[in-house]
Structures are given as structure tokens and as C-alpha cells.
Amino acid sequence: MGWVHDVNAKVAKSPVGRWFRLEGSGHPRERKGSYFFTELRAGIATFFAMAYIIAVNSSIVADTGGTCICNGGPDDPVCDVNEEYLLCAAEVKRDLVTATAAISALSSFCMGLFANLPVSLAPGMGLNAYFAYTVVGYHGTGIVPYSVALTAIFVEGWVFFALALFGLRQWLARVIPRPIKLATSVGIGLFLTLIGFTYSEGIGLLTGAQATPLELAGCPSDALDPETGLCPDGAKMRNPTMWIGIFCGGVLTVLLMMYRVKGAIIAGILLVSIISWPRGTSVTYFPYTTVGDDAFDFFKQVVGFHKITKTLTVQRWDISEYGAQFGLAFITFLYVDILDCTGTLYSMARFANVVDPVTEDFEGSSIAYMVDAISISIGSLLGSPPVTAFIESGAGISEGGRTGLTSMATGLCFFISIFFAPIFASIPPWATGCVLVLVGSMMMQSVVQINWRYIGDAVPAFVTICAMPFTYSIADGLIGGICLYITINGSVWLVEKASGGRIIPPNKAEKDPWTWKVSGGVLPPWMVRLSKGEKEFWREDPPLVTESASDVPGKEETAKTSSKDSAREKPETVGLPSHENSV
């Protein structure tokens, strides 16, 4: 397909190619392996991996009842059977379908356009559950009403923006010890894998248990014991949708990727979805039940736009009645969002190989954090819980996405989904489950770069890796790893100081170096350039040209003898399969 290569070359040489630093653009920091059509394909792959959020987020948040008022009386205090309330809640759910697609489109597009990162955004899965079931509560039985919770999210977004503008958020990401940052990428990979194995967004291979934390499942969801949530022994591994997902969405996708077939991930998702759409089969996504009939009626609409009527700009600014509860919700959203988004953005940037090996920061970090912050506030105006970077962006990166064109393509797909929500909201979870497992396996590459020789680095990294999937939380994994790192290495530092440097671990020299004085300082680069009086302070500094040892006469032997130490001391970036030969 010569015309594809011709278009790739022409786009690369255009102002668009230089802005996004495509290969062949001539930009000093062009991203190797980035081609126009590859970026578009990667964006579509990310969208299909994230499309479930349209249906899942709207379903979860609609459980709050939104702005609906419950008048069920003492016989029905939470309006479980009140027809008027349930009709209102159904309208709220349709509002949230539009809101979810709209804010995902806007935030992802802006992330690509301004930050030039292949990372897409959407309402966060963990955050929406906390918002729905802890803050607002089922049918409004939580600590604050829906409108007050949205006010907390709106304020949180602007606090985020201030932290990002003055570099504090970027500094936080850069000051995290290297073993923890490397472990974050691996932990998120396992977290993705666990999601892919579950029923809610995966193939249903695992389920929660009582005697053990997890147990083998694989039975149809209607066969699960209603009390224990377990599969009967005779029904395990007999769910046809699971096998369709494994072979058509998993094994076939892997084989296609091995042979460098273009759009392998998209092909797997589409094949499973098409198999699952017809009714009357054992693998249908639309069974003959009340829920199935409703889902199929929505699916048959194909094209439809729903105007937001009940969740648009419903913030309540008089919060005096809920002062303490408002503060609690605000602080919780703030710290969870900082840890979740920081960990996800950094791991995705490392996965895309756009992390600076000197500063250990990623390109466009200031703008990326500010885009995320503004998107949080805009999302709250639409009625959505906090927006965050999605780990499913790894699906697009694995397809070759390296630039912001990937997330812009994802944003355009979300925009289209506003009008085709019945189709895109009908992608079954077993169609994307194995893709999440596949992406998780690719993110494991960082594990070999962790410093396993020094136990003070190894144990905190290991805890970070394990805690993320086992607690089902990126934030909890980061907290556990950072706290353990501080405790262990802080104790070693105190003992060393108290003993005058006489008592130290025998192999402390093998420890990865760490300092809070990160390269470039706390202030963001634009503020540093402004303080120096540069008129074009918004322009990035040119890349540093360093001289390799092999270029210096007489230094070959020195380079050879110090190669092991330099490999340990210098941060590395995760390598990805080359996409130069596939467009």
C-alpha cells in the first residue's frame, strides 16, 4: 500500500507532523515509529478498549438517583419501587450516557492536541464507585447530595490546575523513587489483567470467594450462587462467552499481532462483539430478560442523541449545611485523583517510551496535568464524577501509538459515540477482557529494570506491584509502596547517621540513588525560563546533545568497565515492539 506510506510521509513533513513530532518531521525530538495512520489506528484501538465506560459509568452513577427527589414514604424510604423516582433515574442514566461520551471526547482530544501524549481520559472507574456508593450513596443515602458532591469535584479540578501550573504535581511525580515508578507500571499491568479476568469488565474467569480471596469461575453469570457469588463446581469453565473471549478476543489477537497484522486488537474486539450481538444464542449479549430486552431496544436505535436535562450545571454552592462532609469528599477526591492520575500518566508515558531518562519526567507533563484538571471541572458541570487518565490507553500504545494523534482519534471516536451510543455501549465485556490481559502482559516489561539486588528497593517495589491488583486500587498500591520505602530506607539513614556511618547495609552501594532535589527543580520549565527573562518562555528548551563514550578517543576501555554501573544508575525506558513496518 504505497499510498499509505506516501500520506504518512506528507503528513510527517507538514506542520501537523512537526507539531506532533512524527517520524520524518525533522523535529529534534521526533518520536521514532510514529506514523499518521498508525496513530489513527492506535486511537481507535484505545477507544474500543475504553468504550465500556459509556455504559458502566452511566449505570454506576445513575444508582445515586442524581437530582431526582425520593417521595417513597416510610414504606419505601429509598424509592426502590417508586415508579416516578425510577423513571426519573432512568432519565438520569440517559443523561449520563451523553455526559460520559462528551467529557471523554473533549478531554482525550485536548490531551492529544495540547500535551501530545497517547493517553486518553474518561471518568475513572474507582472514583465513580466512590462517588456513587460512598459520597452520594444509593438513591441519595450518602453523606452529601448529588449536587454538593459535584461542587466538590468542580473545586477539586481547579485546585488540581493550580498544583499543576506551579509544578507541584509534576514534582510529586518526579520525586517518587525510581523502584516505585517502575513497579507502578507493572502493578497497573496486573491490575488490568485482574479486570480482564473478572465478570464486570472481563471474561469471567475469576470471582471473589470467602475461604480464599479469589476462586476459579467461568460459569454463566446467572449460575453464580446469589449468596456467596461463587460458581457451582459442575458449572465452572463452562461459560461459552468466556471461551469466545479467550479464543476470538485473546488467542486470535495474539496470533495476529505475532504476524504484525494491522489492527489486530480492533479485529479481536469486533469479532467477539459481532458474534455476541444476535439474540437467541448461548453467547448473546441480549438475553430474553427485562434487562436484556431493554439493552436490545437501546441497541436497535443505532443512531440517537439524548439531550442532557437533569445533570447539567446542577452544582450547589451553599455548602454550609454540609461543611465537614464536603471537606471530606473534596480531600478524598483530591488525593485519590493525584495518585491515580500520576501513576497512570507516568506508566503510560513510560510504556510509550516518552520519559526523559535524565529528569524522569515525561514530555508535556505540565500541560497534561492541567488538561486533566480542567477536564475534571468541566465533567462535573455535565454531572460526571472525576475524569482521569485511563490505563486502557495501553491498548492504543501497544498498537503503535506514540503521539497525541492517538488520543485525538480516541476523542473523535467518543464524539461519534454520542450519536451512536446504542452501538458503542453494546460491546460486551468478554470482547475487551482478553485485550486487557494482553496489554497487562506488555506492561510487565518494566519488572526487569527494578533493582532487585538491594532489598530496600526490591521489597517496596514488590509491595507496590502486588497491592495494586489485590486492593483493586492504583492509589492504595502507591501509598503502600511509598510508605514502606520511606520506612525502610529512612530507618537505614537514621542508623547510619547515629552510628557515624559505621553501621550500613553491606550492599548499600547497589541502592538506586534518590534525592528530593530532582533535575530542573520544583518549578516547571516554563517558570524557570520566565525567571531568566526569556521572552518566549513557553517554548521548550532544545534537547541536549551528549557525547557518547565511543565518540571520545581513548575512552573505550573506560566505557566498557563502567557499563554495569551506568546501566544501574541511569534510568531506562520500557522498550516496545517496533511498529516501523506496520502502518
Side-chain angles (χ1 to χ4, degrees):
M1 293 178 23
W3 68 271
V4 172
H5 296 284
D6 291 341
V7 173
N8 283 338
K10 289 180 180 179
V11 173
K13 294 177 182 179
S14 69
V16 173
R18 190 168 181 84
W19 174 265
F20 292 103
R21 306 179 184 181
L22 297 176
E23 181 170 330
S25 64
H27 193 284
R29 291 181 177 175
E30 67 178 29
R31 298 179 184 174
K32 299 300 180 182
S34 58
Y35 305 100
F36 179 68
F37 280 109
T38 303
E39 298 295 314
L40 296 184
R41 189 182 70 234
I44 296 172
T46 299
F47 169 74
F48 277 106
M50 291 176 59
Y52 70 87
I53 194 63
I54 299 174
V56 175
N57 184 65
S58 59
S59 179
I60 290 175
V61 181
D63 276 349
T64 66
T67 54
C68 301
I69 299 175
C70 177
N71 295 315
D75 295 332
D76 188 17
V78 295
C79 291
D80 277 328
V81 295
N82 186 281
E83 184 175 317
E84 180 182 358
Y85 186 88
L86 294 178
L87 288 173
C88 178
E91 184 72 11
V92 168
K93 183 176 180 179
R94 289 188 283 269
D95 283 357
L96 289 166
V97 168
T98 302
T100 302
I103 191 57
S104 301
L106 178 64
S107 57
S108 297
F109 190 89
C110 290
M111 178 65 79
L113 180 61
F114 299 114
N116 195 23
L117 287 173
V119 180
S120 298
L121 301 112
M125 282 296 296
L127 290 168
N128 59 12
Y130 172 74
F131 173 88
Y133 301 119
T134 303
V135 179
V136 182
Y138 176 74
H139 285 188
T141 55
I143 58 176
V144 297
Y146 178 77
S147 55
V148 174
L150 290 177
T151 305
I153 295 172
F154 182 85
V155 174
E156 177 226 350
W158 287 110
V159 172
F160 255 10
F161 184 84
L163 293 176
L165 181 64
F166 294 105
L168 296 177
R169 196 170 173 188
Q170 298 91 300
W171 176 81
L172 174 64
R174 293 158 63 186
V175 81
I176 295 175
R178 181 171 181 263
I180 303 299
K181 285 189 282 194
L182 291 170
T184 298
S185 180
V186 181
I188 290 178
L190 292 177
F191 182 57
L192 268 177
T193 301
L194 184 59
I195 293 175
F197 281 154
T198 60
Y199 277 93
S200 57
E201 287 112 38
I203 59 176
L205 183 66
L206 297 176
T207 187
Q210 295 175 336
T212 58
L214 293 172
E215 185 172 299
L216 185 68
C219 64
S221 57
D222 55 4
L224 292 169
D225 189 301
E227 295 183 0
T228 64
L230 303 179
C231 286
D233 290 337
K236 289 182 178 179
M237 302 299 290
R238 296 191 177 185
N239 187 0
T241 60
M242 179 194 69
W243 292 111
I244 290 291
I246 290 174
F247 284 103
C248 296
V251 176
L252 177 62
T253 301
V254 171
L255 291 173
L256 292 176
M257 292 185 69
M258 289 175 65
Y259 289 99
R260 298 291 180 90
V261 175
K262 304 168 185 177
I265 291 178
I266 300 173
I269 294 173
L270 285 178
L271 177 60
V272 176
S273 299
I274 292 171
I275 293 174
S276 305
W277 281 336
R279 305 194 79 176
T281 69
S282 59
V283 296
T284 183
Y285 188 51
F286 308 112
Y288 289 104
T289 62
T290 302
V291 175
D293 291 341
D294 181 69
F296 190 66
D297 289 339
F298 185 57
F299 171 72
K300 288 191 299 183
Q301 295 178 21
V302 182
V303 178
F305 174 77
H306 177 79
K307 184 179 179 180
I308 301 176
T309 58
K310 294 187 176 295
T311 65
L312 186 65
T313 60
V314 295
Q315 277 75 10
R316 178 176 173 180
W317 297 102
D318 180 11
I319 60 172
S320 56
E321 185 180 349
Y322 306 97
Q325 295 89 339
F326 177 89
L328 176 63
F330 167 77
I331 293 173
T332 304
F333 281 132
L334 186 64
Y335 98 84
V336 172
D337 237 340
I338 284 179
L339 293 177
D340 265 0
C341 189
T342 298
T344 303
L345 271 176
Y346 187 88
S347 63
M348 289 297 103
R350 179 174 291 277
F351 191 36
N353 204 14
V354 294
V355 175
D356 190 313
V358 177
T359 65
E360 294 213 9
D361 196 9
F362 57 89
E363 299 176 15
S365 61
S366 299
I367 298 176
Y369 287 126
M370 286 189 278
V371 168
D372 175 63
I374 295 175
S375 298
I376 290 172
S377 295
I378 295 176
S380 72
L381 295 176
L382 300 177
S384 171
V387 171
T388 189
F390 252 58
I391 49 182
E392 282 83 349
S393 300
I397 297 173
S398 66
E399 276 283 338
R402 297 291 182 274
T403 73
L405 285 172
T406 294
S407 48
M408 288 179 67
T410 304
L412 289 175
C413 288
F414 271 114
F415 177 75
I416 295 172
S417 73
I418 296 175
F419 307 97
F420 292 90
I423 297 293
F424 293 118
S426 300
I427 295 175
W430 54 87
T432 57
C434 282
V435 172
L436 300 182
V437 175
L438 178 60
V439 173
S441 71
M442 294 177 180
M443 295 184 68
M444 295 295 291
Q445 298 178 57
S446 296
V447 76
V448 299
Q449 300 178 34
I450 296 174
N451 181 21
W452 297 108
R453 297 182 302 275
Y454 184 69
I455 196 169
D457 289 336
V459 172
F462 180 74
V463 169
T464 303
I465 292 171
C466 294
M468 286 187 182
F470 293 157
T471 63
Y472 216 69
S473 170
I474 298 171
D476 289 346
L478 271 173
I479 292 172
I482 291 172
C483 289
L484 189 58
Y485 183 92
I486 293 173
T487 302
I488 293 175
N489 292 286
S491 300
V492 170
W493 181 83
L494 289 174
V495 171
E496 181 180 352
K497 293 299 181 182
S499 65
R502 292 186 296 272
I503 303 177
I504 61 174
N507 65 332
K508 189 189 175 186
E510 295 183 334
K511 179 183 182 298
D512 271 344
W514 176 88
T515 175
W516 64 273
K517 298 178 181 179
V518 296
S519 177
V522 176
L523 296 177
W526 71 267
M527 292 192 69
V528 175
R529 292 190 290 268
L530 180 63
S531 66
K532 294 179 180 179
E534 296 184 18
K535 294 182 179 180
E536 297 183 344
F537 60 87
W538 61 88
R539 295 187 181 277
E540 294 185 359
D541 295 324
L544 295 175
V545 180
T546 58
E547 193 174 39
S548 64
S550 60
D551 295 330
V552 182
K555 296 291 183 71
E556 289 82 2
E557 290 301 317
T558 303
K560 291 179 182 178
T561 56
S562 62
S563 60
K564 291 185 179 180
D565 291 336
S566 63
R568 178 175 60 84
E569 294 174 359
K570 292 182 180 179
E572 299 176 358
T573 53
V574 177
L576 293 173
S578 173
H579 290 266
E580 294 182 8
N581 298 324
S582 61
V583 180

